[in-house]
Amino acid sequence: MDLISYAELAVLLVNSPDRLTGLEGLRALLQESGRSRQASRLTRADLDALRALREELVAVFEAAADGNEREVVARLNALLRRHPVHPQITEHDGEPWHLHLTEGGRFADQYVVGAVMGLATIVTDLGADRLGLCQSPPCRRAYLDTSSNRSRRYCSERCASRANVAAYRARKKVGQDSGGR
Ligand SMILES: [Zn+2]
Ligand SMILES: [Zn+2]
């Protein structure tokens, strides 16, 4: 069971506020991320639960981006208490026996447990500073830094190159303002 990949569920939710305005948007988001089976049984209650979870996860990523490790841990622990894990060994679709973190229950319950356990694993295995918010304004999308030297600062290549261009222009401007060429 790769819990770090579960953390991508948290990132997906944080970065998709525009898809949480209605059931259709959420359904499309799940289909695009390869979860068609789950998309087919979504309810209004799932949508409400995932919207609430998104708010909580944004706060977790903001605390991490501020370097506030204790707040990250306190927020994740509160989520873990509210969403207990019910692991079950299962097999389906020709896969060998494997663990599911939460069997049964609503789709949203399974999503919450996956996302929160994923983040908890990253924080304990790699460190809270692995959760970040893009530093190319005004982006602020969430990302997971799984690089070996903790060097990631942007959500995407696009934001990284935009930030590089902005930094280059700023340097050039400083050069001109001080009369240097
Ligand atoms: Zn499975
Ligand atoms: Zn970005």
Side-chain angles (χ1 to χ4, degrees):
M1 185 167 43
D2 179 9
L3 281 173
I4 288 180
S5 74
Y6 275 92
E8 295 291 349
L9 293 173
V11 172
L12 184 68
L13 205 58
V14 169
N15 291 345
S16 310
D18 50 323
R19 314 305 284 281
L20 297 175
T21 52
L23 268 179
E24 278 315 305
L26 180 56
R27 215 168 263 142
L29 178 69
L30 293 176
Q31 275 158 358
E32 285 159 27
S33 62
R35 298 180 179 83
S36 304
R37 206 166 33 148
Q38 290 95 324
S40 64
R41 57 190 182 92
L42 279 179
T43 66
R44 181 81 213 177
D46 288 315
L47 178 65
D48 292 342
L50 290 181
R51 266 194 198 144
L53 175 66
R54 181 179 177 274
E55 298 296 312
E56 308 251 15
L57 294 178
V58 166
V60 169
F61 275 91
E62 276 171 356
D66 290 345
N68 196 339
E69 203 173 284
R70 295 214 165 261
E71 190 187 333
V72 172
V73 169
R75 286 185 174 280
L76 286 178
N77 274 340
L79 283 166
L80 287 167
R81 275 195 300 274
R82 258 183 289 145
H83 304 282
V85 181
H86 303 290
Q88 292 283 290
I89 305 166
T90 182
E91 67 170 345
H92 58 86
D93 301 322
E95 288 175 43
W97 293 110
H98 60 282
L99 269 179
H100 277 187
L101 289 177
T102 293
E103 257 329 283
R106 283 204 310 249
F107 166 70
D109 298 326
Q110 299 178 4
Y111 198 103
V112 171
V113 166
V116 175
M117 282 297 288
L119 292 181
T121 304
I122 294 214
V123 166
T124 50
D125 282 6
L126 303 171
D129 57 353
R130 299 299 188 137
L131 314 184
L133 291 174
C134 185
Q135 288 170 40
S136 175
C139 179
R140 301 282 285 174
R141 280 163 64 89
Y143 63 82
L144 301 172
D145 183 359
T146 50
S147 65
S148 53
N149 55 353
R150 297 173 194 239
S151 57
R152 187 161 173 183
R153 290 193 292 146
Y154 307 108
C155 71
S156 61
E157 282 299 321
R158 215 182 70 186
C159 277
S161 59
R162 193 178 64 225
N164 283 337
V165 170
Y168 173 75
R169 288 206 183 115
R171 274 197 307 273
K172 220 169 123 185
K173 186 162 189 306
V174 168
Q176 283 165 357
D177 289 349
S178 60
R181 283 255 148 170

